[in-house]
Amino acid sequence: MILYAEPFPRVEINANRGAAPNRESSVFRVPFLVALSLVIAFGGGIVSTLVALEATSGFGSIKIGAWDAFPESQTIEADPYAKAHRADAGKLLYGTAEGLAFTAAMDSGGQRLTGQCRYTLSGNLPPARFWTLYIADQQGNLLDDGSGRPIALNSRNLLHGPQGGVSVTLSATATPFNWLAVPPAGNFKLVLTLLDTPIAGSTGLIDITMPAIEKMDCSHA
């Protein structure tokens, strides 16, 4: 008797089975990663530029006590950040021979100006034909709450004391003499603009004195 062994059942293995889904997923993965990289790159660039514009008005600043100024930000020699800041603010700025604006976000002790505290601005101002002083928000805009309280002073309506110079109280509650109303809460800035002043064209050549901003007391103390 002759016995024949049955052959093993043929099992076909398709090596390409499952390759098509992997190939399809890789086709969509690459464009997705490219698009994600572009979004991160452009989004990060835009955010960093906006942060830079909010953080500074440009280079070439001068600091005198609590006050900062950017003499070249309004001239043709302004750096790109100053020009972008000027375009973003949409404000009419003064030329070198017309005036110079100083801002103060901190008091003379280096603490941020806040509506919860009361301050005294006192001292002498640099020579100028006319000057203005007003309360501003963090972007330098006039901080007007519509209440009608005084938020600005100028050289013509300032009351002068026997010692001369300037003496202004900054507080959320009314006080006699020269008073500027600040918001009851939150931070604020002071903007002092000197018009037709000799320091606008020679800021680094003469000795400038600016008024001090002294903290008197705080409501949360």
Side-chain angles (χ1 to χ4, degrees):
M1 175 182 289
I2 301 174
L3 299 177
Y4 295 94
E6 295 183 358
F8 290 101
R10 181 180 295 177
V11 178
E12 295 182 357
I13 300 176
N14 188 357
N16 293 328
R17 184 183 303 173
N22 292 334
R23 187 180 299 111
E24 292 178 359
S25 62
S26 63
V27 169
F28 290 104
R29 187 184 300 116
V30 173
F32 172 76
L33 294 177
V34 172
L36 181 61
S37 301
L38 292 175
V39 170
I40 294 175
F42 283 103
I46 293 173
V47 171
S48 61
T49 301
L50 293 177
V51 171
L53 289 178
E54 290 293 332
T56 179
S57 296
F59 299 101
S61 67
I62 60 172
K63 185 173 181 63
I64 306 172
W67 302 89
D68 293 286
F70 295 84
E72 295 184 356
S73 65
Q74 306 167 97
T75 67
I76 193 173
E77 291 82 11
D79 60 85
Y81 280 99
K83 293 179 180 179
H85 192 277
R86 177 175 58 189
D88 181 67
K91 296 179 180 179
L92 179 63
L93 301 179
Y94 306 103
T96 304
E98 296 175 333
L100 184 62
F102 289 85
T103 61
M106 299 183 180
D107 59 23
S108 297
Q111 302 296 319
R112 293 193 67 86
L113 298 175
T114 173
Q116 296 177 322
C117 298
R118 187 163 55 107
Y119 305 89
T120 297
L121 184 149
S122 60
N124 296 315
L125 291 172
R129 185 179 299 273
F130 185 78
W131 58 260
T132 62
L133 174 69
Y134 66 86
I135 306 295
D137 59 18
Q138 297 304 305
Q139 287 70 43
N141 301 313
L142 186 67
L143 196 57
D144 188 1
D145 59 1
S147 63
R149 303 189 304 168
I151 56 175
L153 284 172
N154 59 61
S155 54
R156 295 183 178 177
N157 59 17
L158 178 78
L159 299 176
H160 293 274
Q163 303 299 327
V166 298
S167 179
V168 181
T169 301
L170 314 172
S171 65
T173 57
T175 61
F177 206 55
N178 298 309
W179 168 57
L180 286 181
V182 302
N187 298 323
F188 66 91
K189 286 184 177 181
L190 289 173
V191 178
L192 173 64
T193 304
L194 306 174
L195 300 175
D196 194 8
T197 171
I199 71 170
S202 56
T203 306
L205 302 178
I206 62 177
D207 185 21
I208 305 172
T209 59
M210 297 293 292
I213 307 173
E214 301 293 342
K215 181 188 298 183
M216 300 176 65
D217 53 53
C218 297
S219 60
H220 55 78

